[in-house]
Each structure stands twice: as C-alpha cells, then as structure tokens.
Amino acid sequence: MKEVTASMAGTVLTVFVTAGVQVNPGQEVVMLESMKMEIPIESGTEGVVREVKVRIGDFVNEGDVLLVLE
C-alpha cells in the first residue's frame, strides 16, 4: 500500500478523488487551507485510490494520511 500524506497542517478544502479512481504522479488529490493559503497536495506515485481518509472540513496535521493507494 502507498499513502498520500499532508505536507503541512491545515483544513481540507477539497478532495478531488474517490475510491477506485486511478491517480498519477503529480496529480492534485486534495486541497488544504493553511494560514489563508490554498495548499495543493499531489500524489507522489501512481495507483488506484483504495481509501480516502479525510473529508471536507477535517483538520489534518503534517504527515497525516489523506489517501491510501494500491
């Protein structure tokens, strides 16, 4: 399993993918808001989304798992 993690603490603004969707390296998968800035989170690898672990409005810390890929 591969994981996509938060690069910084923030609030989840948007989740661009759902379970079963194919993602590619560099593809934006989640948008965070931190200090009134939008921070795009990209997949570092390709895979199929197995599980989305966050919802819009969730607060995440740096290193928290956002998505699990297979």
Side-chain angles (χ1 to χ4, degrees):
M1 294 297 139
K2 304 168 215 167
E3 298 175 333
V4 177
T5 59
S7 58
M8 65 184 333
T11 302
V12 177
L13 281 182
T14 309
V15 179
F16 297 112
V17 296
T18 58
V21 171
Q22 173 75 35
V23 296
N24 297 305
Q27 180 178 339
E28 289 184 8
V29 292
V30 175
M31 183 71 69
L32 298 180
E33 178 187 30
S34 181
M35 300 185 300
K36 302 204 186 243
M37 294 175 48
E38 292 185 355
I39 311 298
I41 305 299
E42 300 175 349
S43 176
T45 184
E46 75 175 69
V48 175
V49 178
R50 178 174 181 185
E51 182 181 4
V52 178
K53 296 195 155 277
V54 294
R55 292 183 287 164
I56 294 171
D58 286 354
F59 182 82
V60 296
N61 289 302
E62 182 177 349
D64 284 356
V65 176
L66 306 175
L67 305 172
V68 177
L69 307 176
E70 47 182 36

